Amino acid sequence: MNIQLLKDQVRAAFADVDSSEFLQLQIEKGAEKHRRNFREFHAMHPECTFEEWRQKLEASVDMHNTEDRMAIGVFLLALDEFNHENL
């Protein structure tokens, strides 16, 4: 399974109105965590770019983990939502 397919499946799983609001809240919380983590990472590695950091995160995701698939999907959706330019 690829990353985009997993994100699409998570969005589909939360498609109804109440669930989609819950998903959006979780994505926003995740994006805030990514913001803090990127700030820390960039302070320790100022030579690295956002894209390098993002690629490291995506590479660290275990796409074969079936137990945490929803959490991984939300993590990746939050990474998409995170805007590093507004730090």
Side-chain angles (χ1 to χ4, degrees):
M1 175 175 293
N2 69 36
I3 288 175
Q4 188 59 48
L5 180 58
L6 177 59
K7 291 188 292 188
D8 292 344
Q9 288 178 345
V10 169
R11 280 217 186 269
F14 287 92
D16 83 23
V17 176
D18 292 337
S19 294
S20 64
E21 291 172 3
F22 174 77
L23 175 60
Q24 190 57 42
L25 179 62
Q26 296 308 307
I27 290 171
E28 290 169 8
K29 287 180 183 179
E32 184 56 38
K33 288 179 185 176
H34 286 315
R35 185 172 291 106
R36 288 191 306 268
N37 291 340
F38 179 67
R39 281 185 188 142
E40 285 182 27
F41 174 83
H42 199 259
M44 294 186 309
H45 306 281
E47 73 285 356
C48 290
T49 67
F50 171 75
E51 284 305 316
E52 290 170 322
W53 176 76
R54 180 187 179 109
Q55 288 172 358
K56 287 180 184 188
L57 285 180
E58 288 177 345
S60 71
V61 171
D62 179 7
M63 295 301 292
H64 302 291
N65 182 340
T66 57
E67 292 180 23
D68 297 326
R69 195 165 297 270
M70 285 296 198
I72 293 168
V74 171
F75 173 86
L76 293 168
L77 288 167
L79 188 56
D80 287 348
E81 187 85 9
F82 168 52
N83 183 353
H84 72 285
E85 294 175 359
N86 294 337
L87 291 177

